[in-house]
Amino acid sequence: MLNINNITKAVTHSGKFHTDDVMSTVFIRQLNPNIKFVRKDELDDEDMTYDVLCYDIGLGEFDHHQADNGLDRFGNPYSSFGKLWDYFGKQYLKNKGFKKINEAFSFIEKKYVTKINEGDNKGYKYVKFFSENDLIVKFNPNWYEISKDIKVVDESFFKAVDFAEMIFNNWIRDAYEAVELDEYETKGFNEALTNKEDGIIYLEERINWHTRI
């Protein structure tokens, strides 16, 4: 298995960016904060070394533009983010302290990852309940901003990455509560039901009760 800690540089495509390459960058940066990120039009010889990870460009393992791209378990063609999650997701969750790794992996895959797979390959207009895309792509500069300074594209990309990292962290928090704390919340809710008075339930903690009634 590829050791992300041995990677010193990650390369993706330049120009207009999408949720796929932005979230891929977020994920790689969380896996290894020391990686240097480069955006370019095409790969060259210096990108073909063991310590460089290429994604969403070059038709390699973490690109999704090749004919034999493959499908996720929901029938959507992989995005680059989907490929990265499939490869590193369980390792990431383990590092984050998850115990129910398979459950958390599947939860995030179903609720978020497959929507990026679907949107990046088929168009986000077909994806339901995924407003994150609209927020991220709005960071792309307009033509008149680019005409003044081409560097604004890369600058905007990394602003989008910083913003998307907050979204990604919320996905992980969401998964942690849903998977790791489910039994704890259920136990607390059931105990409160047993001790209810005059039809009123008193919870000792502010747990998630909405999905339990």
Side-chain angles (χ1 to χ4, degrees):
M1 182 174 183
L2 176 65
N3 188 340
I4 194 68
N5 293 317
N6 293 334
I7 301 299
T8 61
K9 183 173 76 171
V11 182
T12 191
H13 67 83
S14 57
K16 185 174 182 179
F17 49 85
H18 313 90
T19 298
D20 182 21
D21 46 312
V22 170
M23 275 300 179
S24 294
T25 305
V26 168
F27 187 44
I28 294 168
R29 191 167 73 176
Q30 291 223 355
L31 288 164
N32 183 350
N34 297 317
I35 290 176
K36 175 185 177 182
F37 290 92
V38 177
R39 305 181 76 233
K40 54 171 54 177
D41 293 334
E42 58 184 29
L43 303 181
D44 49 40
D45 290 343
E46 68 179 22
D47 302 318
M48 307 303 176
T49 59
Y50 77 95
D51 60 342
V52 177
L53 188 156
C54 301
Y55 60 104
D56 212 17
I57 189 174
L59 302 180
E61 185 172 7
F62 301 113
D63 192 9
H64 68 101
H65 296 100
Q66 55 270 64
D68 58 345
N69 180 37
L71 304 176
D72 68 17
R73 66 188 180 97
F74 303 98
N76 291 314
Y78 279 107
S79 63
S80 292
F81 178 63
K83 287 173 173 282
L84 287 161
W85 180 256
D86 200 47
Y87 195 94
F88 292 111
K90 292 182 180 179
Q91 174 189 336
Y92 172 83
L93 293 169
K94 181 179 179 181
N95 293 343
K96 283 291 184 179
F98 281 77
K99 304 300 182 185
K100 301 177 182 178
I101 293 174
N102 289 335
E103 291 181 42
F105 178 89
S106 297
F107 177 91
I108 294 169
E109 181 188 29
K110 180 179 181 180
K111 193 168 183 179
Y112 304 112
V113 179
T114 194
K115 293 181 180 179
I116 295 180
N117 290 342
E118 182 179 9
D120 200 67
N121 288 284
K122 301 178 182 179
Y124 281 94
K125 64 181 179 180
Y126 300 109
V127 182
K128 296 180 180 179
F129 309 116
F130 194 70
S131 58
E132 290 93 329
N133 175 69
D134 295 333
L135 298 172
I136 292 169
V137 297
K138 283 294 184 183
F139 279 86
N140 275 287
N142 294 312
W143 66 267
Y144 62 86
E145 295 171 314
I146 298 173
S147 64
K148 293 178 181 178
D149 185 0
I150 190 63
K151 292 185 295 184
V152 73
V153 182
D154 283 352
E155 292 171 356
S156 298
F157 173 80
F158 287 106
K159 288 179 181 178
V161 169
D162 290 339
F163 173 78
E165 188 157 25
M166 292 186 285
I167 294 175
F168 182 83
N169 288 339
N170 284 336
W171 293 353
I172 303 304
R173 290 172 55 245
D174 184 30
Y176 189 84
E177 180 181 6
V179 174
E180 297 291 331
L181 300 182
D182 180 66
E183 293 178 5
Y184 181 84
E185 291 178 349
T186 300
K187 180 175 180 292
F189 183 74
N190 289 338
E191 288 177 352
L193 278 178
T194 302
N195 298 319
K196 66 182 179 181
E197 298 178 12
D198 299 324
I200 299 175
I201 301 171
Y202 295 93
L203 293 169
E204 294 185 2
E205 295 181 84
R206 194 174 179 178
I207 63 172
N208 180 17
W209 57 270
H210 298 80
T211 59
R212 304 175 192 281
I213 59 175

